[in-house]
Amino acid sequence: MHILVTGGSGQIGRELRRLAWPPRVTAHFPDRGELDLSDPEEIGAAVAARRWAAVINAAALTGVDQAESRVVEAWTC
């Protein structure tokens, strides 16, 4: 069973990576360089690339000041 976790190098993604996943589960943690969530075609290709049991969106822009000044990027995550 494969699970896709977006935001693999972010705070939440790093914590999820540390979990003890069951032996039959393979979790994939692409970072922003591997999966650009602002590109719908790239998201579609990533989702279509494998038969995912689940997709967990752990991507976020966590800095409040950054989110206020980078509104489009904050909503894209």
Side-chain angles (χ1 to χ4, degrees):
M1 171 185 322
H2 294 274
I3 296 176
L4 175 64
V5 182
T6 64
S9 64
Q11 292 174 340
I12 298 169
R14 287 191 313 267
E15 291 303 315
L16 290 172
R17 188 185 300 257
R18 290 185 182 121
L19 293 176
W21 293 86
R24 64 185 187 92
V25 173
T26 303
H28 303 264
F29 298 89
D31 62 21
R32 190 173 296 212
E34 297 169 294
L35 177 56
D36 180 359
L37 295 178
S38 68
D39 184 343
E41 289 182 14
E42 197 167 324
I43 295 168
V47 171
R50 185 179 303 270
R51 188 168 178 197
W52 303 104
V55 176
I56 300 171
N57 183 14
L61 186 61
T62 57
V64 174
D65 293 336
Q66 290 179 337
E68 289 176 348
S69 63
R70 296 161 49 191
V71 175
V72 173
E73 185 179 352
W75 280 99
T76 302
C77 295

Coordinates of all heavy atoms in Angstrom, one line a residue:
M1 N 0.8 -1.2 0.0 CA 0.0 0.0 0.0 C 0.9 1.2 0.0 O 1.8 1.3 0.8 CB -0.9 0.0 1.2 CG -1.7 1.2 1.5 SD -2.6 1.3 3.0 CE -3.3 -0.3 3.2
H2 N 0.6 2.2 -0.9 CA 1.4 3.4 -1.0 C 0.6 4.6 -0.6 O -0.6 4.7 -1.0 CB 1.8 3.6 -2.5 CG 2.8 2.5 -2.9 ND1 4.1 2.6 -2.7 CD2 2.6 1.3 -3.5 CE1 4.7 1.5 -3.2 NE2 3.8 0.7 -3.7
I3 N 1.2 5.5 0.2 CA 0.6 6.7 0.6 C 1.4 7.9 0.2 O 2.7 7.9 0.4 CB 0.4 6.7 2.2 CG1 -0.5 5.6 2.6 CG2 -0.1 8.1 2.7 CD1 -0.7 5.5 4.1
L4 N 0.8 8.9 -0.4 CA 1.5 10.1 -0.8 C 1.3 11.2 0.2 O 0.2 11.5 0.6 CB 0.9 10.6 -2.2 CG 1.5 11.9 -2.7 CD1 3.0 11.8 -3.0 CD2 0.7 12.3 -3.9
V5 N 2.4 11.7 0.7 CA 2.3 12.8 1.7 C 3.0 14.0 1.1 O 4.2 14.1 0.9 CB 3.0 12.4 3.1 CG1 2.9 13.5 4.1 CG2 2.5 11.1 3.6
T6 N 2.2 15.0 0.8 CA 2.7 16.3 0.2 C 3.4 17.1 1.3 O 3.1 16.9 2.5 CB 1.7 17.1 -0.5 OG1 0.7 17.5 0.5 CG2 1.0 16.3 -1.6
G7 N 4.3 18.0 0.9 CA 5.0 18.8 1.9 C 6.0 17.9 2.7 O 6.1 18.1 3.9
G8 N 6.6 17.0 2.1 CA 7.5 16.1 2.8 C 8.7 16.7 3.5 O 9.1 16.0 4.5
S9 N 9.1 17.9 3.2 CA 10.2 18.4 3.9 C 9.8 19.5 4.9 O 10.6 20.1 5.6 CB 11.3 19.0 2.9 OG 10.7 20.1 2.2
G10 N 8.5 19.7 5.0 CA 8.0 20.7 6.0 C 7.8 20.2 7.4 O 8.1 19.0 7.6
Q11 N 7.4 21.0 8.3 CA 7.3 20.6 9.7 C 6.4 19.4 9.9 O 6.7 18.4 10.6 CB 6.7 21.8 10.5 CG 7.6 22.9 10.6 CD 7.0 24.1 11.3 OE1 5.8 24.2 11.4 NE2 7.8 25.0 11.8
I12 N 5.2 19.4 9.3 CA 4.3 18.3 9.4 C 4.8 17.1 8.7 O 4.8 15.9 9.2 CB 2.9 18.6 9.0 CG1 2.3 19.8 9.8 CG2 1.9 17.4 9.0 CD1 1.1 20.4 9.3
G13 N 5.3 17.3 7.5 CA 5.9 16.2 6.7 C 7.0 15.5 7.4 O 7.1 14.2 7.4
R14 N 7.9 16.2 8.0 CA 9.0 15.6 8.7 C 8.5 14.8 9.9 O 9.1 13.7 10.2 CB 10.0 16.7 9.2 CG 10.8 17.3 8.1 CD 12.0 18.2 8.6 NE 11.6 19.1 9.6 CZ 11.2 20.4 9.4 NH1 11.2 20.9 8.2 NH2 10.9 21.2 10.4
E15 N 7.5 15.3 10.6 CA 7.0 14.5 11.7 C 6.3 13.2 11.3 O 6.4 12.2 11.9 CB 6.0 15.4 12.6 CG 6.6 16.5 13.3 CD 7.7 16.0 14.3 OE1 7.5 15.0 15.0 OE2 8.8 16.6 14.3
L16 N 5.5 13.3 10.2 CA 4.9 12.1 9.6 C 6.0 11.1 9.1 O 5.8 9.9 9.3 CB 4.0 12.5 8.5 CG 2.7 13.2 8.9 CD1 1.9 13.7 7.6 CD2 1.8 12.3 9.7
R17 N 7.1 11.6 8.6 CA 8.2 10.7 8.2 C 8.7 9.9 9.3 O 9.2 8.8 9.1 CB 9.2 11.6 7.5 CG 10.3 10.8 6.8 CD 11.4 11.7 6.3 NE 10.9 12.7 5.3 CZ 11.1 12.6 4.0 NH1 11.7 11.6 3.5 NH2 10.6 13.5 3.2
R18 N 8.7 10.5 10.5 CA 9.3 9.9 11.7 C 8.5 8.8 12.3 O 8.9 8.0 13.1 CB 9.6 10.9 12.8 CG 10.7 11.8 12.4 CD 11.0 12.8 13.6 NE 12.0 13.7 13.2 CZ 11.9 15.0 13.2 NH1 10.8 15.6 13.6 NH2 12.9 15.8 12.9
L19 N 7.2 8.7 11.8 CA 6.3 7.7 12.4 C 6.7 6.3 12.0 O 7.4 6.1 11.0 CB 4.9 7.9 11.8 CG 4.2 9.2 12.3 CD1 2.8 9.3 11.6 CD2 4.0 9.2 13.8
A20 N 6.3 5.3 12.8 CA 6.6 3.9 12.5 C 5.4 3.5 11.7 O 4.4 3.1 12.2 CB 6.7 3.1 13.8
W21 N 5.6 3.5 10.3 CA 4.5 3.1 9.4 C 4.4 1.6 9.4 O 5.4 0.9 9.6 CB 4.8 3.6 8.0 CG 4.7 5.1 7.9 CD1 5.7 6.0 8.2 CD2 3.6 5.9 7.6 NE1 5.3 7.3 8.0 CE2 3.9 7.3 7.6 CE3 2.3 5.6 7.2 CZ2 3.1 8.3 7.4 CZ3 1.4 6.6 6.9 CH2 1.8 7.9 7.0
P22 N 3.2 1.0 9.3 CA 3.1 -0.4 9.3 C 4.0 -1.0 8.1 O 4.2 -0.3 7.1 CB 1.6 -0.7 9.0 CG 0.9 0.6 9.4 CD 1.9 1.7 9.2
P23 N 4.4 -2.2 8.3 CA 5.3 -2.8 7.3 C 4.8 -2.9 5.9 O 5.5 -2.7 4.9 CB 5.6 -4.2 7.8 CG 5.3 -4.2 9.2 CD 4.2 -3.1 9.4
R24 N 3.5 -3.0 5.7 CA 2.9 -3.1 4.4 C 2.6 -1.7 3.8 O 2.1 -1.6 2.6 CB 1.6 -3.9 4.4 CG 0.5 -3.3 5.3 CD -0.7 -4.2 5.4 NE -1.8 -3.6 6.0 CZ -2.8 -2.9 5.4 NH1 -2.8 -2.8 4.1 NH2 -3.7 -2.3 6.1
V25 N 2.9 -0.6 4.5 CA 2.7 0.7 4.0 C 4.0 1.3 3.6 O 5.0 1.3 4.3 CB 2.0 1.6 5.1 CG1 2.0 3.1 4.6 CG2 0.7 1.1 5.4
T26 N 4.0 1.9 2.4 CA 5.2 2.7 1.9 C 4.7 4.1 1.7 O 3.8 4.4 0.9 CB 5.7 2.1 0.6 OG1 6.0 0.7 0.7 CG2 6.9 2.9 0.1
A27 N 5.2 5.0 2.5 CA 4.9 6.4 2.4 C 5.9 7.1 1.6 O 7.1 6.9 1.7 CB 4.8 7.0 3.8
H28 N 5.4 8.0 0.7 CA 6.3 8.8 -0.2 C 6.1 10.2 0.3 O 5.0 10.7 0.4 CB 5.8 8.6 -1.6 CG 5.9 7.2 -2.1 ND1 6.9 6.6 -2.7 CD2 4.9 6.2 -1.9 CE1 6.7 5.4 -3.0 NE2 5.5 5.1 -2.5
F29 N 7.2 10.9 0.4 CA 7.3 12.3 1.0 C 8.0 13.3 0.0 O 9.1 13.7 0.3 CB 8.0 12.3 2.3 CG 7.4 11.5 3.4 CD1 7.7 10.1 3.5 CD2 6.4 12.0 4.2 CE1 7.1 9.4 4.5 CE2 5.8 11.3 5.2 CZ 6.2 9.9 5.4
P30 N 7.4 13.6 -1.1 CA 8.0 14.5 -2.0 C 8.1 15.9 -1.4 O 7.1 16.4 -0.7 CB 7.2 14.5 -3.3 CG 5.8 14.1 -2.8 CD 6.1 13.2 -1.6
D31 N 9.2 16.6 -1.6 CA 9.3 18.0 -1.2 C 8.8 18.9 -2.3 O 8.4 18.5 -3.4 CB 10.7 18.3 -0.6 CG 11.7 18.2 -1.7 OD1 11.4 18.3 -2.9 OD2 12.9 18.1 -1.3
R32 N 8.9 20.2 -2.1 CA 8.4 21.2 -3.0 C 9.2 21.1 -4.4 O 8.6 21.3 -5.4 CB 8.6 22.6 -2.4 CG 8.0 23.7 -3.3 CD 8.1 25.0 -2.5 NE 7.3 24.9 -1.3 CZ 6.6 25.8 -0.7 NH1 6.7 27.0 -1.2 NH2 6.0 25.7 0.4
G33 N 10.5 20.7 -4.3 CA 11.2 20.6 -5.5 C 10.8 19.4 -6.4 O 11.0 19.3 -7.6
E34 N 10.2 18.4 -5.7 CA 9.8 17.2 -6.4 C 8.3 17.3 -6.8 O 7.9 16.6 -7.8 CB 9.9 15.9 -5.5 CG 11.4 15.7 -5.1 CD 11.5 14.6 -4.0 OE1 11.1 14.9 -2.9 OE2 12.0 13.5 -4.3
L35 N 7.5 18.0 -6.1 CA 6.1 18.1 -6.4 C 5.7 19.6 -6.1 O 5.5 20.0 -4.9 CB 5.3 17.1 -5.6 CG 3.8 17.2 -5.7 CD1 3.3 17.1 -7.2 CD2 3.1 16.2 -4.9
D36 N 5.5 20.3 -7.2 CA 5.1 21.7 -7.0 C 3.6 21.8 -7.0 O 2.9 21.6 -7.9 CB 5.6 22.5 -8.3 CG 5.2 24.0 -8.2 OD1 4.5 24.4 -7.3 OD2 5.6 24.7 -9.1
L37 N 3.0 22.1 -5.8 CA 1.6 22.1 -5.6 C 0.9 23.3 -6.2 O -0.3 23.4 -6.2 CB 1.3 22.1 -4.1 CG 1.7 20.8 -3.4 CD1 1.4 20.8 -1.9 CD2 1.0 19.6 -4.0
S38 N 1.7 24.2 -6.8 CA 1.0 25.3 -7.5 C 0.8 25.0 -9.0 O 0.3 25.8 -9.7 CB 1.9 26.6 -7.4 OG 3.1 26.4 -8.1
D39 N 1.2 23.8 -9.4 CA 1.1 23.3 -10.8 C 0.1 22.2 -10.9 O 0.4 21.0 -10.5 CB 2.5 22.9 -11.3 CG 2.5 22.5 -12.7 OD1 1.4 22.3 -13.3 OD2 3.6 22.4 -13.3
P40 N -1.1 22.5 -11.3 CA -2.2 21.4 -11.4 C -1.7 20.2 -12.2 O -2.1 19.1 -11.9 CB -3.4 22.2 -12.0 CG -3.1 23.6 -11.7 CD -1.6 23.8 -11.7
E41 N -1.0 20.5 -13.3 CA -0.6 19.3 -14.1 C 0.4 18.4 -13.4 O 0.3 17.2 -13.5 CB 0.0 19.9 -15.4 CG -1.0 20.5 -16.4 CD -0.4 21.0 -17.7 OE1 0.7 20.6 -18.0 OE2 -1.1 21.7 -18.4
E42 N 1.3 19.0 -12.6 CA 2.3 18.3 -11.9 C 1.5 17.5 -10.8 O 1.9 16.3 -10.5 CB 3.3 19.2 -11.3 CG 4.5 18.5 -10.8 CD 5.7 19.4 -10.5 OE1 5.9 20.4 -11.1 OE2 6.4 19.0 -9.5
I43 N 0.6 18.1 -10.1 CA -0.2 17.3 -9.1 C -0.9 16.2 -9.8 O -0.9 15.0 -9.3 CB -1.2 18.3 -8.5 CG1 -0.5 19.4 -7.7 CG2 -2.2 17.5 -7.5 CD1 -1.4 20.5 -7.2
G44 N -1.6 16.4 -10.9 CA -2.3 15.3 -11.6 C -1.4 14.2 -12.0 O -1.7 13.0 -11.9
A45 N -0.2 14.5 -12.5 CA 0.8 13.5 -12.9 C 1.2 12.7 -11.7 O 1.4 11.5 -11.7 CB 2.0 14.1 -13.6
A46 N 1.5 13.4 -10.5 CA 1.9 12.7 -9.3 C 0.8 11.7 -8.8 O 1.1 10.6 -8.4 CB 2.3 13.7 -8.2
V47 N -0.4 12.2 -8.8 CA -1.5 11.3 -8.4 C -1.8 10.2 -9.3 O -2.0 9.0 -8.9 CB -2.8 12.2 -8.2 CG1 -4.0 11.3 -7.9 CG2 -2.6 13.2 -7.1
A48 N -1.6 10.4 -10.6 CA -1.8 9.3 -11.6 C -0.7 8.3 -11.7 O -0.8 7.3 -12.2 CB -2.1 10.0 -13.0
A49 N 0.5 8.7 -11.1 CA 1.7 7.9 -11.3 C 1.6 6.6 -10.5 O 2.4 5.6 -10.9 CB 2.9 8.7 -10.8
R50 N 0.7 6.5 -9.6 CA 0.6 5.3 -8.8 C -0.8 5.1 -8.2 O -1.5 6.1 -8.1 CB 1.6 5.4 -7.6 CG 1.7 4.2 -6.7 CD 2.8 4.4 -5.6 NE 4.1 4.8 -6.1 CZ 5.0 3.9 -6.4 NH1 4.8 2.6 -6.3 NH2 6.2 4.3 -6.8
R51 N -1.1 3.9 -7.9 CA -2.4 3.7 -7.2 C -2.3 4.0 -5.7 O -1.9 3.1 -5.0 CB -2.9 2.3 -7.5 CG -4.3 2.2 -7.1 CD -4.9 0.9 -7.6 NE -6.3 0.7 -7.1 CZ -7.0 -0.4 -7.1 NH1 -6.4 -1.4 -7.6 NH2 -8.2 -0.4 -6.6
W52 N -2.6 5.2 -5.3 CA -2.4 5.6 -3.9 C -3.5 5.1 -3.0 O -4.7 5.2 -3.4 CB -2.3 7.1 -3.8 CG -1.2 7.7 -4.6 CD1 -1.4 8.4 -5.7 CD2 0.2 7.7 -4.3 NE1 -0.1 8.8 -6.2 CE2 0.8 8.4 -5.4 CE3 1.0 7.2 -3.3 CZ2 2.2 8.6 -5.4 CZ3 2.4 7.3 -3.4 CH2 3.0 8.0 -4.4
A53 N -3.2 4.6 -1.9 CA -4.3 4.2 -0.9 C -4.8 5.4 -0.2 O -6.0 5.5 0.2 CB -3.7 3.2 0.1
A54 N -3.9 6.5 -0.1 CA -4.3 7.7 0.5 C -3.4 8.8 0.1 O -2.2 8.5 -0.3 CB -4.3 7.6 2.0
V55 N -3.9 10.0 0.1 CA -3.0 11.2 -0.1 C -3.2 12.1 1.1 O -4.4 12.5 1.4 CB -3.4 12.0 -1.4 CG1 -2.6 13.2 -1.6 CG2 -3.2 11.1 -2.7
I56 N -2.1 12.5 1.7 CA -2.2 13.3 2.9 C -1.5 14.6 2.5 O -0.4 14.7 2.1 CB -1.4 12.7 4.1 CG1 -2.1 11.4 4.5 CG2 -1.4 13.7 5.3 CD1 -1.3 10.6 5.5
N57 N -2.3 15.7 2.6 CA -1.7 17.0 2.2 C -1.2 17.7 3.5 O -1.9 18.2 4.3 CB -2.8 18.0 1.6 CG -2.2 19.3 1.2 OD1 -1.0 19.4 1.1 ND2 -3.0 20.3 0.9
A58 N 0.2 17.6 3.7 CA 0.8 18.1 4.8 C 1.6 19.4 4.5 O 2.3 20.0 5.3 CB 1.8 17.1 5.4
A59 N 1.4 19.9 3.2 CA 2.0 21.1 2.8 C 1.3 22.3 3.4 O 0.1 22.4 3.5 CB 2.0 21.2 1.3
A60 N 2.2 23.3 3.9 CA 1.6 24.5 4.4 C 2.7 25.6 4.5 O 3.9 25.3 4.5 CB 1.1 24.2 5.8
L61 N 2.2 26.8 4.4 CA 3.1 27.9 4.7 C 2.8 28.3 6.1 O 1.8 28.9 6.4 CB 2.8 29.1 3.7 CG 3.8 30.3 3.7 CD1 5.2 29.8 3.4 CD2 3.3 31.3 2.7
T62 N 3.7 28.0 7.0 CA 3.4 28.1 8.5 C 3.8 29.5 9.1 O 3.3 29.8 10.2 CB 4.1 27.0 9.3 OG1 5.5 27.1 9.0 CG2 3.6 25.7 8.9
G63 N 4.6 30.3 8.4 CA 4.9 31.6 9.0 C 3.8 32.6 8.8 O 3.5 32.9 7.6
V64 N 3.2 33.1 9.8 CA 2.1 34.0 9.7 C 2.5 35.2 8.9 O 1.7 35.7 8.0 CB 1.5 34.4 11.1 CG1 0.5 35.5 10.9 CG2 1.0 33.2 11.8
D65 N 3.6 35.8 9.2 CA 4.0 37.0 8.4 C 4.2 36.7 6.9 O 3.9 37.5 6.1 CB 5.3 37.6 9.0 CG 5.1 38.2 10.4 OD1 4.0 38.6 10.7 OD2 6.1 38.3 11.1
Q66 N 4.8 35.5 6.7 CA 5.0 35.1 5.3 C 3.7 34.9 4.6 O 3.5 35.3 3.5 CB 5.8 33.8 5.2 CG 7.2 33.9 5.6 CD 7.9 32.6 5.5 OE1 7.3 31.5 5.6 NE2 9.3 32.6 5.4
A67 N 2.7 34.3 5.3 CA 1.4 34.0 4.7 C 0.7 35.3 4.4 O 0.0 35.4 3.4 CB 0.6 33.2 5.7
E68 N 0.9 36.3 5.2 CA 0.2 37.6 4.9 C 0.8 38.3 3.7 O 0.1 39.0 3.0 CB 0.3 38.5 6.1 CG -0.6 38.0 7.3 CD -0.5 38.9 8.5 OE1 0.5 39.7 8.6 OE2 -1.3 38.7 9.4
S69 N 2.1 38.2 3.5 CA 2.8 38.8 2.4 C 2.9 38.0 1.1 O 3.1 38.5 0.1 CB 4.2 39.3 2.8 OG 5.0 38.2 3.1
R70 N 2.6 36.7 1.3 CA 2.7 35.7 0.1 C 1.4 35.0 0.1 O 1.3 33.8 0.1 CB 3.9 34.8 0.3 CG 5.2 35.5 0.3 CD 6.4 34.8 0.9 NE 6.5 33.4 0.4 CZ 7.4 32.5 1.0 NH1 8.1 32.9 2.0 NH2 7.5 31.3 0.6
V71 N 0.3 35.7 -0.1 CA -1.1 35.2 0.0 C -1.3 34.1 -1.0 O -1.8 33.0 -0.7 CB -2.1 36.3 -0.2 CG1 -3.5 35.8 -0.2 CG2 -1.9 37.4 0.9
V72 N -0.9 34.3 -2.3 CA -1.2 33.3 -3.3 C -0.5 32.0 -3.0 O -1.0 30.9 -3.0 CB -0.7 33.8 -4.7 CG1 -0.8 32.7 -5.7 CG2 -1.6 35.0 -5.1
E73 N 0.8 32.1 -2.5 CA 1.5 30.9 -2.2 C 0.9 30.2 -1.0 O 0.9 29.0 -0.9 CB 3.0 31.2 -1.9 CG 3.9 30.0 -1.6 CD 5.3 30.4 -1.4 OE1 5.7 31.5 -1.6 OE2 6.1 29.5 -1.0
A74 N 0.5 31.0 0.0 CA -0.1 30.4 1.2 C -1.4 29.6 0.9 O -1.6 28.5 1.4 CB -0.5 31.5 2.2
W75 N -2.2 30.1 -0.1 CA -3.4 29.4 -0.5 C -3.1 28.2 -1.4 O -3.9 27.3 -1.5 CB -4.4 30.4 -1.1 CG -5.1 31.1 -0.1 CD1 -4.9 32.4 0.3 CD2 -6.3 30.7 0.7 NE1 -5.8 32.8 1.3 CE2 -6.6 31.7 1.5 CE3 -7.0 29.5 0.7 CZ2 -7.7 31.6 2.4 CZ3 -8.0 29.4 1.6 CH2 -8.4 30.4 2.5
T76 N -2.0 28.2 -2.0 CA -1.6 27.2 -2.9 C -1.2 25.9 -2.2 O -1.4 24.8 -2.7 CB -0.4 27.6 -3.9 OG1 -0.8 28.8 -4.6 CG2 0.0 26.5 -4.8
C77 N -0.6 26.1 -1.0 CA -0.1 24.9 -0.3 C -1.2 24.0 0.1 O -2.0 23.7 0.4 CB 0.6 25.3 1.0 SG 2.1 26.2 0.6

